[in-house]
Each structure stands twice: as structure tokens, then as C-alpha cells.
Amino acid sequence: MGDWSGYIGLMLDGARVTVELTVLGCALALPVAFAAGLGRLSRFWAVRALALAYIEFFRGTSIFVQLFWAYFVLPLIGFELTPLQAGVLALGLNVGAYGAEVVRSAVQSIGREQHEACVALNLTRWQGLRHVLLPQAFVVMIPTFGNNAIELLKATSVVSLISLTDLTFQAQVVRSQTGSTAIPFLTVLVIYFALASAISFGMKTLERRMTRGLDGIRH
Amino acid sequence: MTEPIIHIDHVTKSYGSFTVLKDLCFSVMPGEKLALIGPSGSGKTTILRTLMTLERIDSGVIRVDGDYLFHMERNGRLVPADEAHLHRMRAKIGMVFQLFNLFPHKTVLENVTLAPMLTKGVRKADAQRRAMELLEMVGMAGKANSMPAALSGGQKQRVAIARALALQPRIMLFDEVTSALDPELVEEVLNVMRMLGTQTDMTMLLVTHEMSFAHDFADRVLFFDRGRIVEEGPPGDIFTNPRNERTQTFLKKIIAAGQRI
Ligand SMILES: Nc1ncnc2c1ncn2[C@@H]1O[C@H](COP(=O)(O)OP(=O)(O)OP(=O)(O)O)[C@@H](O)[C@H]1O
Ligand SMILES: [Mg+2]
């Protein structure tokens, strides 16, 4: 019964949408995390307040509600978004808020003496951040960024609610068409797990490359 | 008559209710080698950090090379310095820290070239050539491509000195630069300092617990106690014939601890 190769094709299409959402979501979350995280450390009161408001708002409300706002409420004030755009926007801003705290705490974890060396060498605040503090902080951020990216991957399934045909959505389709629950959802499980493992592996590789030499051995 | 390159005028600084610098006044002449000695907590580090603008003062004025350090003149009135002014002033001053503060993610060579390239727009090739000369001078050219973590403390400190020299400051501040070193590594750093003392006309201020080094190196010694200078003079006078009772007690303790002066 049923054409399983066709169903597998459906699921793979769904996986492609999920990957697309994850990649674009991360592409938005990363710069947003840096902007808000560094904003939290700004010399200017207004910038700090703005960054804090953004972070608290997106961490304090659910991704589900944020997605509905992006897709159903923004059009009411003139911003018409495709489901994909709405999904990327909600996911990127939501995970960006978590990433911002990662950026902030990583920069703060770099010892005061590094900052003081920058002052003594007459670097500007921005130069010190760009060439001394951020490169060291980035190594600290990578593992948590990996977790954030996996959280984002898992959160992509909410977009099936605005009828984006992602992996979870397609699994529902296959289930309703075949009457089989175990097979499509087992497939979904395996695919999500494979994607998450790929992210983990990528992050570990990156971390290993970035920490070269810090232990005193030039590889 | 030459003007002092550093002029500290009635400077006071407190941390909460604890006053670290009490109405401090002293001047340093261009090219002078000054040793700051005194018991722990007397404010020696604080005055160096203040000159490097790592600390702010509560009252008084500091002039460096003819300009106010923390103030600017606007329409004949003194106003707090802005970041651009501090940036200009910092270009005159370099500092070497007790714990080296090298950049761990950069090679020895990159540690030395970074600031000249960023703050003075020196081209990479020129910065590298100059850095290699400096590393040669401190005996570290062979380690130019090493990471700081692969170096001994003495080697790190010599790189840190080269890094500060790369910006060609007129004034160099050394805060107990040998205190964190194993005893057998102290001499290699002191040798570099001796060479700087005799071969350059930089103004040098050093805080040290190495009394025999201070004796040979310094033109003048300031003895600090509880945020004040209680005695000053040429090392010959301070070390062999201290007049102040606290200086005497301090030096006796040092000798009792086994140091030669
Ligand atoms: N950030 C700070 N907050 C509070 N107190 C401080 C701070 N920095 C320094 N102090 C105190 O100020 C006093 C003077 O410190 P400073 O480091 O200048 O002394 P020092 O003469 O360099 O002593 P040492 O020989 O131990 O290095 C010390 O009692 C120290 O505890
Ligand atoms: Mg000290």
C-alpha cells in the first residue's frame, strides 16, 4: 500500500525546508546576538536599555506567539511576509536573544588584564574589542552557540503552524495519507537527530581549529 | 631650564573610605629613571595605573609632557578630558605589567606588531621589521612565531617589554615586572631593563622590590608609605643613609628577609 518512495521524497523536501530555516535563522540570529550582546556592554545608557529590552522580550515570550505576530500581526501594520520570511524572522530574533547573553558573558569572561593591556597599548575601545577581546571570547561562545543552533533547529517545527512545509509538517502529511504513525515519525526522529549531530560536529571542529596554539603548541 | 615631563600636583584618590593617594606631589624630569619603593598597599601600583589612565583621580592635577592628563582647557577653563584627549595622552606612555598581559591568541610577533599597525597605521611589513629589531634586542627573535603560552615567564615579560617599546613611548612604567617570575628568570628581565636604562633616553618609572637593582638603576628613589612620599633622594642616600624612621624600618625588614641592597 502507498508509494513509499514518493513519501520519502516528501519527507526529504520537508527536511530541505527545515535546513533552510535553520541556516537562515542562524544567519539572522548570529549578527543579532552580537549586536544585542555588545549593546549590553555599551558605554551608552540608551543602547544598553534597548539591548536589554529586546533580550528580555524575546526570552520572556514564547516562540509560538512570536511566530504568530510575525505572520499574522505584522501584515496589519503593512509588513507582508512570506511564511518562510516570518519563520526566519521569529526564529532568528528568538535565538538571537539567547545568543546575545552568550556573547555578553563570553566577553565579560575575558580577564580585566586583557582590557588593560589594550588601554596601555592605546587601542580604541572598538579596536580592543575587535582584535583582542572578541577573538578570545569567540572561542568561549562556540559550544553554547552550538547548543543555540540545535535549539533553533528543534524550534523550526513550530513553523508547520503557519503551513510551511517543513519536516514535521510533511511527517503529518505522510501520516494522514498512509495511516502509519510510527514510520514517518521514526524517519523524522532520525533526520532531526542527524541534523543536530551535523551541527555538533561542525561546532566541535570549529572549536578545535580556534583553540589551536592557545595551549602553547603551534600546530 | 627643562620642564618636568611628569608633574603630579596634590593628587588624591580613594577607594570608598580608603585613601590610597594622599595629596601626592612629585615631578619627574625627562630621561629620569625613578624607582618607587615602599611597603605593600602604599599606593605604588595605583600611581602607575593612574598615569596609564587605568584609574581616575578624585582631586588634583597631573601634567604629562606639558598637557593635562585628565583635563583639557576649554575657553580658559579646565574640563574633564574626553576619550580623544586621553587617546593622545596615552600615546606618550607605555606600561609593562606584573603578569605580562600578553595576548594569548596572537603569536609573539603579532603581539608586538598589533598596536603600531592599529594606532599608528604602520604598514605590516614595516611593523614586522621594527618588531624583529625589538625582539632581537630583548633576545626573543628566535621565538617570534611562538604562542605566548609556550614561553617561560621571563620570556613573556621580555616580549611584553618589546610590545610596549614598539609604540615608542616617551615614558615607560614598570610595575613589579619581575615579581611573578621564578628566581632564576629574574636576571634576564633585569638585564633588558638595565640596557634600556643606559641605551635610551626614555623616562622610566619602576615599582620594584628588587632593592639592589633599584640602587644601581635609579637616578632617584621615592619611598612611599600609606599614600604619601615620606622620603626621596638619590639611591646612595636612601639606601645607605635613610633619614625617615619608616624608611629605616622598611629597609631593615628587607635586609632581614635576605636581600642585598
Ligand atoms: N580596585 C580597588 N578597590 C579597592 N581597593 C583597592 C583597589 N585597588 C587597590 N586597592 C587598595 O589600595 C591600596 C594600594 O594599592 P596599591 O596596589 O597601589 O599598593 P602597592 O603599593 O602597589 O602594593 P604592593 O607592593 O602590594 O603591590 C591597597 O591597600 C589595595 O588593597
Ligand atoms: Mg603593587
Side-chain angles (χ1 to χ4, degrees), chain A residues 112, chain B residues 15-16 18 20-21 38-47 49 55 98 175-176 207 209 224:
Chain A
R112 225 168 79 112
Chain B
Y15 292 112
F18 178 72
V20 205
L21 304 177
S40 186
S42 56
K44 309 177 299 290
T45 294
T46 305
I47 190 67
R49 289 174 54 81
E55 305 284 349
Q98 188 173 348
D175 186 16
E176 294 197 38
V207 170
H209 287 296
F224 276 69

Side-chain angles (χ1 to χ4, degrees), chain B residues 38-223:
Chain B
S40 186
S42 56
K44 309 177 299 290
T45 294
T46 305
I47 190 67
L48 293 197
R49 289 174 54 81
T50 301
L51 286 168
M52 195 65 257
T53 72
L54 295 169
E55 305 284 349
R56 295 300 137 94
I57 56 178
D58 300 332
S59 63
V61 289
I62 298 178
R63 296 171 65 101
V64 172
D65 200 16
D67 277 319
Y68 292 103
L69 185 59
F70 292 117
H71 302 88
M72 309 186 293
E73 292 188 55
R74 279 272 182 290
N75 310 321
R77 290 180 47 224
L78 278 193
V79 297
D82 59 17
E83 195 53 36
H85 178 83
L86 291 174
H87 191 70
R88 272 195 303 280
M89 296 306 288
R90 283 182 199 123
K92 305 168 192 278
I93 308 172
M95 182 162 182
V96 181
F97 299 88
Q98 188 173 348
L99 292 174
F100 335 119
N101 300 16
L102 292 179
F103 303 136
H105 61 302
K106 299 210 170 279
T107 64
V108 164
L109 185 65
E110 289 165 347
N111 264 276
V112 183
T113 55
L114 182 71
M117 286 166 62
L118 290 177
T119 68
K120 295 183 155 181
V122 179
R123 292 210 332 271
K124 188 171 183 179
D126 296 334
Q128 287 182 338
R129 196 173 322 116
R130 174 85 185 120
M132 286 311 291
E133 285 169 17
L134 289 167
L135 289 171
E136 193 77 56
M137 191 174 88
V138 300
M140 288 300 295
K143 296 278 186 187
N145 293 314
S146 301
M147 300 303 277
L151 307 180
S152 73
Q155 292 176 325
K156 282 183 193 163
Q157 198 56 293
R158 287 186 279 147
V159 173
I161 292 172
R163 182 176 72 169
L165 290 173
L167 287 169
Q168 299 175 295
R170 298 201 54 199
I171 301 166
M172 279 275 272
L173 312 172
F174 297 89
D175 186 16
E176 294 197 38
V177 294
T178 57
S179 298
L181 303 180
D182 293 336
E184 70 273 19
L185 302 177
V186 167
E187 206 53 33
E188 66 186 51
V189 174
L190 293 184
N191 281 335
V192 169
M193 309 265 296
R194 281 191 193 98
M195 184 194 50
L196 291 178
T198 54
Q199 296 183 6
T200 70
D201 57 1
M202 267 187 313
T203 307
M204 293 167 70
L205 274 66
L206 74 122
V207 170
T208 185
H209 287 296
E210 301 278 336
M211 293 304 149
S212 75
F213 178 72
H215 187 289
D216 299 341
F217 177 83
D219 301 319
R220 189 156 57 106
V221 178
L222 305 185
F223 178 78

Side-chain angles (χ1 to χ4, degrees), chain A residues 62-72 83 86-87 90 158-159 161-162:
Chain A
S62 86
I63 175 81
F64 179 82
V65 176
Q66 289 158 17
L67 182 72
F68 271 53
W69 266 77
Y71 192 60
F72 296 112
V158 299
V159 298
L161 295 169
I162 55 170

Side-chain angles (χ1 to χ4, degrees), chain A residues 21 57-58 61-75 79 81-95 152 154-166 169:
Chain A
L21 275 165
F57 178 79
F58 276 90
T61 58
S62 86
I63 175 81
F64 179 82
V65 176
Q66 289 158 17
L67 182 72
F68 271 53
W69 266 77
Y71 192 60
F72 296 112
V73 180
L74 286 187
F79 290 101
L81 298 178
T82 66
L84 182 71
Q85 287 168 339
V88 167
L89 185 69
L91 288 164
L93 290 182
N94 181 277
V95 175
L152 195 149
K154 292 192 283 186
T156 53
S157 60
V158 299
V159 298
S160 55
L161 295 169
I162 55 170
S163 60
L164 250 183
T165 55
D166 77 316
F169 183 91

